[in-house]
Amino acid sequence: MKREIEGFEFIDVNSDEETGARFFIAVHSNALGPALGGIRMFHYKTNSYGVSPEKAAEKDALRLARAMTFKASVAGLDLGGGKSVILIDPAALDLGQRALLFERFGKAIDQLHGKYIAAEDVGTNEEDMVNVRKQTDFVTGVPGEAGDPSPVTAFSVFRGMQACCFQVFGSESLKGKTVAVQGIGNVGFSLLHYLGKAGANIVVSDVNPAKIEMANLRFNVRSVEPEEIVGVDCDIFAPCAFGEIINKDTVKDLKCKIVAGAANNQLASFEMGSVLHEKNIVYAPDYVINCGGLISVANEVVVTGSAYNKKEVMQRTDATFDRILDILKRSEAENSPTTEIADGIALERIEKKGC
Ligand code: NAD
């Protein structure tokens, strides 16, 4: 059922009768174009404040959709912001049930007639996108086109880190810099390739021991327990797991000079941007630095009308360096948090379009 919400285009919430899953499709804005954003599949639980899984899933979809509007705008894409969440325990599904679930989700997307275009996100994969495509054209990230966006996201994060190093240390080189990566999933693991090649000292953490094992086999890394990573003495802290990792409890533990990572909604509140600024920690706004995946899937035929162009994608993603550096320089000149500068840039472009 589609519902209007203040400050958003709408949220569409449905139940999947066969599995009991709940579908949330949030569209924040269509001002610059169709709302492109990933499908997150996650088993939200009732939290310590008594917030129900449904409320938590809806809140996440809305917050993430809003961030997508800003991400597309700063990256210079004519796209709006949207995000969807499938609330279910993925472990409860066998492969056949999962495939059919994504087909039914595809139907729900199709009923929005292109106002929302889907992509991969946390908990979903290329195969899921293939199943969505069986019911709608409004999905990206299927094999043969952009495919998995994560390696391109890792590239934008790496270029953004280099810009931060240029601003803080006077050189974009990461050689000898210590980078603490929280979460070595699709993006985090790809990022390790770039960091390894650049000669960084890498510290990792993940709640999944198999990921740590894999990282140890492939790279020269040191691992710490999940609860230790925020407090690691390092040059760069790279959040690549979930959101809200920078909050009033964790911010005092940070021992880094730079926060630059892939996770969406890294700051628990807007105020955290000012706290980091006051602490003289350079923060690369999440939706600016993690734009690579969006740039990649936005290059697909369903959006552009022409074939996927990898060279163009990598050039646009490479420019993350300039976009981040511009924000950092303005932040310094205006003595204003990078979050405020980035939001200003995003909103200016949307307003210029006359929307
Ligand atoms: P993923 O699910 O593949 O990886 C997340 C990793 O974090 C997993 O390995 C998981 O075990 C680990 N993790 C979870 N909780 C943790 C904790 N408390 N401490 C340490 N590790 C923990 O997801 P991904 O696709 O790599 O995305 C990572 C983040 O980047 C997400 O916030 C996502 O929204 C964001 N992002 C991803 C893309 C993309 O292209 N995939 C694009 C933009 C933003």
Side-chain angles (χ1 to χ4, degrees), residues 219-249:
F219 308 100
N220 183 14
V221 299
R222 173 167 76 87
S223 63
V224 297
E225 292 302 316
E227 59 279 10
E228 288 170 359
I229 193 81
V230 174
V232 166
D233 196 350
C234 61
D235 296 293
I236 304 175
F237 172 51
C240 297
F242 283 105
E244 305 197 7
I245 184 61
I246 312 287
N247 54 53
K248 60 181 174 24
D249 297 324

Side-chain angles (χ1 to χ4, degrees), residues 178-244:
T178 300
V179 185
V181 184
Q182 181 192 40
I184 40 175
N186 292 328
V187 181
F189 206 81
S190 281
L191 182 61
L192 298 187
H193 285 274
Y194 289 105
L195 295 175
K197 261 194 187 160
N201 302 318
I202 309 169
V203 185
V204 296
S205 82
D206 200 294
V207 287
N208 182 347
K211 302 276 170 101
I212 300 286
E213 221 171 279
M214 250 160 52
N216 271 318
L217 283 174
R218 297 281 299 276
F219 308 100
N220 183 14
V221 299
R222 173 167 76 87
S223 63
V224 297
E225 292 302 316
E227 59 279 10
E228 288 170 359
I229 193 81
V230 174
V232 166
D233 196 350
C234 61
D235 296 293
I236 304 175
F237 172 51
C240 297
F242 283 105
E244 305 197 7

Side-chain angles (χ1 to χ4, degrees), residues 9-22:
E9 296 284 342
F10 60 83
I11 183 155
D12 190 41
V13 183
N14 293 293
S15 290
D16 181 54
E17 279 178 20
E18 281 78 353
T19 60
R22 299 274 285 158

